[in-house]
Amino acid sequence: MKDDDRRHPLRHASSDRKAAESAPDTAQTRAPAYRLAFTDDDFMCREELRPVRLQLELLKPQLMLDAEGVDSTIVLFGGARIPEPAEKHTARTETLAELSRFYDETREFARLMTLKSMQGNGREGVIVTGGGPGVMEAGNRGAMDAGGRSVGLNIVLPFEQAPNEYVTPELCFNFHYFAIRKMHFLMRAKAICVFPGGFGTMDEMFEALTLIQTGRMEPVPFLLFGRAFWEKIVNWDALADAGTISAEDLDLFRFVETAAEAMDLIENWKVSPPRKEIPGR
């Protein structure tokens, strides 16, 4: 019996990788040209290899999530700067300190959703966040509170950062490309919850809404936590009044304030197929 899952009789790439590492130290073996292409970091980072890197970033999390049995996810977007209530005195502004209540709401929502997931087989409704601090940390923390797993989709940034300590290690990923990271947020999404945040949160929120609005994605429960925040930041009615979106587009999402309210809305959300036309066009 073979001790791996290969479907061919050819020598395994990992075997050659080990053999190449133990090659005699000569001028030839030290030359960059001699390195196996798939182990050559300098080669893999060449401009011409961008399509391959994009493919790898799509494939690696996809294969590992499949292997870990994550069939569907509940997506949490929200600000990295929102502190937990006990630390709200460290917030840069009074408004940010007041938003700390959403840390607890995120944590409680993730806990409740994870408990629900675990009542099944634990493969559905797995919490996924961006893996960082603030709201993201609260989401992963809530899943851990329930004794369950959660996913973290981190991104390399110019300043120092690390995954929060509550992400399940086997489900903690790191990305170079924002675009591929966004795809992984939505590919298994069964609901999207958006908490107060900044540019990144709004970018993720509007991209997901655009995909649903244009019929490129099936409608899913789409909840915005904190009506007062979002109505102050975005004049939704003005967009509809101007005709740049339709009045029907305002039905793509709902405002909620608490974790319990969000759980109820998701449970009773009316499922509908992807749009075949855009209202107002």
Side-chain angles (χ1 to χ4, degrees), residues 169-274:
E170 296 79 16
L171 302 175
C172 188
F173 303 97
N174 202 15
F175 291 84
H176 172 67
Y177 296 105
F178 267 101
I180 301 300
R181 178 177 180 251
K182 287 179 181 178
M183 288 186 66
H184 278 294
F185 269 123
L186 300 180
M187 286 169 64
R188 300 168 194 248
K190 293 301 181 184
I192 298 171
C193 296
V194 188
F195 297 81
F199 286 169
T201 301
M202 287 188 283
D203 174 49
E204 292 157 345
M205 174 181 71
F206 280 119
E207 181 151 15
L209 279 174
T210 300
L211 290 172
I212 296 172
Q213 178 203 43
T214 56
R216 299 286 298 182
M217 178 179 173
E218 294 180 4
V220 297
F222 204 116
L223 309 181
L224 274 56
F225 276 73
R227 177 188 287 268
F229 175 85
W230 287 112
E231 289 189 338
K232 183 177 181 180
I233 299 300
V234 183
N235 193 332
W236 306 94
D237 291 331
L239 292 172
D241 291 342
T244 54
I245 66 172
S246 68
E248 291 91 335
D249 291 333
L250 299 179
D251 294 329
L252 297 178
F253 59 89
R254 295 286 185 274
F255 294 109
V256 297
E257 301 299 328
T258 67
E261 185 182 358
M263 292 294 294
D264 182 65
L265 270 174
I266 291 173
E267 183 71 25
N268 296 289
W269 194 275
K270 182 179 178 181
V271 179
S272 58

Side-chain angles (χ1 to χ4, degrees), residues 43 90 222 240:
F43 175 70
T90 65
F222 204 116

Side-chain angles (χ1 to χ4, degrees), residues 2-171:
K2 296 180 180 179
D3 58 359
D4 57 45
D5 58 358
R6 287 182 296 160
R7 299 179 182 178
H8 59 79
L10 303 178
R11 183 175 171 85
H12 202 286
S14 62
S15 299
D16 278 359
R17 180 181 61 187
K18 293 179 182 177
E21 290 172 352
S22 60
D25 184 17
T26 68
Q28 291 75 25
T29 61
R30 289 194 298 271
Y34 186 75
R35 299 173 192 158
L36 289 169
F38 60 88
T39 67
D40 186 341
D41 290 341
D42 292 333
F43 175 70
M44 289 297 296
C45 288
R46 285 180 58 145
E47 181 76 13
E48 301 91 335
L49 270 288
R50 179 175 288 120
V52 175
R53 295 195 299 273
L54 285 162
Q55 183 179 24
L56 290 174
E57 284 214 339
L58 183 63
L59 272 174
K60 179 181 177 180
Q62 179 75 15
L63 294 174
M64 295 187 74
L65 287 167
D66 285 345
E68 290 292 329
V70 177
D71 293 338
S72 70
T73 57
I74 306 297
V75 180
L76 307 186
F77 294 137
R81 304 182 186 192
I82 294 178
E84 63 176 303
E87 299 295 325
K88 69 178 185 178
H89 63 279
T90 65
R92 296 171 57 195
T93 67
E94 183 178 338
T95 299
L96 198 60
E98 292 173 355
L99 291 174
S100 66
R101 71 181 181 88
F102 287 106
Y103 184 103
D104 279 352
E105 291 300 338
T106 308
R107 183 176 176 182
E108 175 63 3
F109 173 76
R111 186 187 72 84
L112 293 173
M113 186 56 69
T114 302
L115 286 174
K116 179 180 178 182
S117 173
M118 293 168 63
Q119 288 172 1
N121 54 18
R123 301 171 67 100
E124 305 286 347
V126 178
I127 294 293
V128 57
T129 79
V135 165
M136 296 173 280
E137 174 187 287
N140 297 117
R141 188 175 182 179
M144 180 176 283
D145 290 341
R149 306 179 299 167
S150 66
V151 182
L153 304 181
N154 294 266
I155 185 82
V156 177
L157 298 173
F159 45 86
E160 182 180 357
Q161 73 148 17
N164 71 68
E165 61 182 316
Y166 304 105
V167 180
T168 301
E170 296 79 16
L171 302 175

